[in-house]
Amino acid sequence: MQCGDWIKVTLPDRRVFGYVNGIIDKYVYVRKVKVIYLHNSETVNIYENNQSAYLFDDVKLWGNSLLSNDYTELINIAIDRKDEAWFHELAGRLIGNG
């Protein structure tokens, strides 16, 4: 894992999507892009642009092994952020992997 890698953190009350901003000791500093809070079987999507530290073992690379549902999640983020170029890039990758 290195700076710039896209990651996903799954915790009991939330899922965090973002990229690695730094690694120090056992912590990965993540620039959060989207956080999905899970509360009473409901989800709340929050778009953030701040940094948090997570334990290294809680952080998983998206890397080159993205599943189609991972692409779908990233595509949804691109749509919500109105990033047309990123949307087309991700859609092309999803179609290429499908």
Side-chain angles (χ1 to χ4, degrees):
M1 188 177 312
Q2 60 187 357
C3 287
D5 287 342
W6 281 96
I7 58 85
K8 179 179 180 180
V9 180
T10 302
L11 300 171
D13 64 337
R14 76 194 93 154
R15 289 187 316 187
V16 177
F17 301 88
Y19 57 89
V20 176
N21 214 22
I23 301 172
I24 299 174
D25 298 324
K26 60 182 179 178
Y27 293 99
V28 178
Y29 291 84
V30 173
R31 175 64 59 179
K32 297 183 288 188
V33 174
K34 180 178 182 179
V35 179
I36 301 174
Y37 291 95
L38 311 169
H39 181 68
N40 294 334
S41 71
E42 293 183 22
T43 61
V44 177
N45 296 309
I46 305 291
Y47 296 92
E48 299 184 1
N49 184 21
N50 55 27
Q51 181 173 278
S52 292
Y54 298 96
L55 288 172
F56 192 87
D57 291 341
D58 292 334
V59 178
K60 304 297 179 221
L61 279 175
W62 272 1
N64 294 328
S65 60
L66 289 174
L67 303 174
S68 61
N69 63 335
D70 293 328
Y71 279 107
T72 302
E73 187 67 43
L74 285 172
I75 287 169
N76 288 336
I77 293 171
I79 290 169
D80 291 338
R81 295 177 73 80
K82 297 176 178 41
D83 190 332
E84 189 174 341
W86 190 30
F87 167 82
H88 288 295
E89 176 187 342
L90 292 167
R93 288 183 186 184
L94 177 61
I95 292 167
N97 287 341

